[in-house]
Amino acid sequence: MGGWAIAVHGGAGVDPNLPKERQEEAKRLLARCLDIGISALRSNLPAIDVVELVVRELETDPLFNSGRGSALTEKGTVEMEASIMDGPKRRCGAVSGLTTVKNPVSLARLVMDKTPHSYLAFAGAEEFARTQGVELVDNGYFITEDNVGMLKLAKEANSILFDYRVPTLGTCGIGVGAALESPIQMNGLPISVYAPETVGCVVVDKEGRCAAATSTGGLMNKMNGRIGDSPLIGSGTYASELVGVSCSGEGEAIIRSTLAREVAAVMEYKGLNLQEAVDNVIKYRLDEGKAGVIAVSKNGEVACGFNTTGMFRGCATEDGFMEVGVW
C-alpha cells in the first residue's frame, strides 16, 4: 500500500471564457475540501467517512451544482441525486428525486447502512429521510438567484443548459432554430451549452480501503423525474477493493458506457495502471460523449482525465503532493 490519497471534483466541462474570479473561487473551495479530507485522513477516519464528509461540504456551498445551488427543473424546482460506495465489500447507497434533504450524500449513506436496499427515489426517499431524522429544508433553500436567471435563459433558448451560471456566446436569446444547429448532442438531441458541475470525491485511506461519492442537481431545465449518472452505481460512482471512481459530464453518455466501472474493469482485465485506465475509458468508452473522471487506487495512486475544455478538480497524497486545477 502506498498511503492515503484523495481527489475531489466540481464538474467536467468549463466555459473557456469563465471569469478569472470564478476560477479562483472554485479553486479555493476545492482546496478547502481537500484540506478537510486530508485532516480526516490524518485522524484515521476510514475512506467511506471521508468521501461523505467532503461531499457534504460541497453540497452546502452554492458554488457547484449539488445541494444548495442545484440546477432547476423545467418547473423551477430542485430535484437532487447522489450515491456513495464503500470499496471493500462493494456496499452502496443511492438516492434520486430529493427536494427537501439538505445533504443528499448522507441520505445515500443511510440507504447503504440502514436499509436492505441500494437505491431509494422520490417520495420513498423523502419518507425514509423523515424516519431517519436527517436535516430537512424547504425547497427554496436550494434555489439561488443565479439559477433562476439561467433557467429563464434555458427556457428562452428552448434548451437544456449545462453551465447554468456562465452563459456563453450565443446562449442568451437564441431561438429553437439556433438550438437545433448546436454541434453538441445528448442522446442524439442538440443542446446549447456543455459544462456540467456535478461534485464528487474519491479516497483511499492508509489501510488501502477505497470509497467514492457523487452528488448533483442535474441539468438546468431538465424534465421532472430525469435521473442522470450520478446516483447510478457503475456509471457515475464505483468503488471496489481495487479502486474508487467518480464521474461528471454528459450523464447519458456516462450511463451508456458504465464509465466508473469501466475504469476498474480495464485495470482488472487489461492490467492497466490507474492513469492508463482513466485515459483508456475517456478515449474509447464515451462514444463521442463528454466527461471527466477522478480516481484513486488501493496502492495510493490518484488520477484524473477528461475530454472537455476543463474540469474543476483537486487531489492530494500522503507524500505531500497537492494540486488544484481547472484546465
Side-chain angles (χ1 to χ4, degrees):
M1 291 180 290
W4 57 256
I6 180 173
V8 61
H9 74 78
V14 182
D15 188 323
N17 299 311
L18 185 69
K20 189 71 174 177
E21 317 85 76
R22 174 77 191 284
Q23 295 180 42
E24 294 306 315
E25 187 180 5
K27 287 181 181 179
R28 287 193 295 272
L29 174 56
L30 293 169
R32 186 173 84 232
C33 289
L34 281 179
D35 287 340
I36 290 170
I38 290 168
S39 177
L41 285 163
R42 287 174 175 166
S43 298
N44 298 320
L45 261 67
I48 190 67
D49 290 347
V50 180
V51 294
E52 180 186 3
L53 183 68
V54 171
V55 172
R56 281 179 61 93
E57 182 70 15
L58 288 162
E59 289 173 340
T60 302
D61 192 294
L63 182 62
F64 293 131
N65 176 16
S66 67
R68 186 163 183 263
S70 284
L72 305 181
T73 70
E74 61 187 0
K75 294 185 178 180
T77 59
V78 166
E79 291 181 355
M80 301 166 290
E81 49 197 22
S83 62
I84 191 168
M85 191 164 187
D86 193 14
K89 293 185 178 180
R90 284 181 285 186
R91 299 167 60 244
C92 60
V95 289
S96 285
L98 300 183
T99 59
T100 65
V101 176
K102 186 175 182 181
N103 291 107
V105 70
S106 290
L107 189 64
R109 174 75 183 272
L110 287 168
V111 171
M112 180 180 77
D113 288 343
K114 303 293 185 180
T115 80
H117 309 305
S118 296
Y119 199 158
L120 293 177
F122 296 92
E126 293 278 340
E127 181 180 354
F128 175 65
R130 290 191 292 272
T131 66
Q132 294 300 305
V134 303
E135 186 173 2
L136 304 178
V137 294
D138 184 80
N139 196 251
Y141 162 84
F142 304 104
I143 299 173
T144 65
E145 186 177 340
D146 285 347
N147 289 350
V148 172
M150 290 308 295
L151 179 62
K152 182 175 183 291
L153 289 178
K155 288 186 175 297
E156 289 173 354
N158 191 30
S159 183
I160 292 168
L161 289 187
F162 278 90
D163 189 347
Y164 48 90
R165 291 181 180 83
V166 187
T168 50
L169 185 63
T171 298
C172 185
I174 64 174
V176 177
L180 292 175
E181 295 172 2
S182 170
I184 304 172
Q185 296 191 337
M186 172 177 285
N187 263 7
L189 298 175
I191 59 172
S192 63
V193 179
Y194 179 80
E197 294 181 345
T198 295
V199 306
C201 180
V202 293
V203 166
V204 57
D205 59 30
K206 69 177 185 178
E207 303 298 327
R209 297 171 296 201
C210 298
T214 311
S215 181
T216 189
L219 308 178
M220 181 63 70
N221 201 27
K222 67 182 179 180
M223 294 175 65
N224 278 62
R226 183 261 185 184
I227 294 173
D229 66 286
S230 296
L232 300 185
I233 299 302
S235 292
T237 303
Y238 186 75
S240 66
E241 68 284 347
L242 179 64
V243 67
V245 186
S246 176
C247 304
S248 171
E250 184 187 331
E252 279 65 14
I254 294 171
I255 292 168
R256 293 194 304 270
S257 63
T258 58
L259 195 64
R261 167 59 190 156
E262 281 292 302
V263 174
V266 295
M267 292 178 72
E268 293 169 13
Y269 304 134
K270 288 191 171 185
L272 302 185
N273 67 33
L274 186 67
Q275 188 64 60
E276 290 171 340
V278 168
D279 293 342
N280 182 278
V281 301
I282 292 292
K283 185 174 182 179
Y284 296 113
R285 294 293 189 267
L286 280 168
D287 300 325
E288 300 183 355
K290 300 292 185 181
V293 171
I294 58 170
V296 293
S297 77
K298 68 176 184 179
N299 298 321
E301 301 167 291
V302 63
C304 77
F306 50 93
N307 63 358
T308 57
T309 53
M311 182 175 186
F312 296 107
R313 67 200 185 276
C315 59
T317 58
E318 190 171 7
D319 62 11
F321 173 78
M322 183 172 174
E323 181 179 71
V324 174
V326 177
W327 310 111

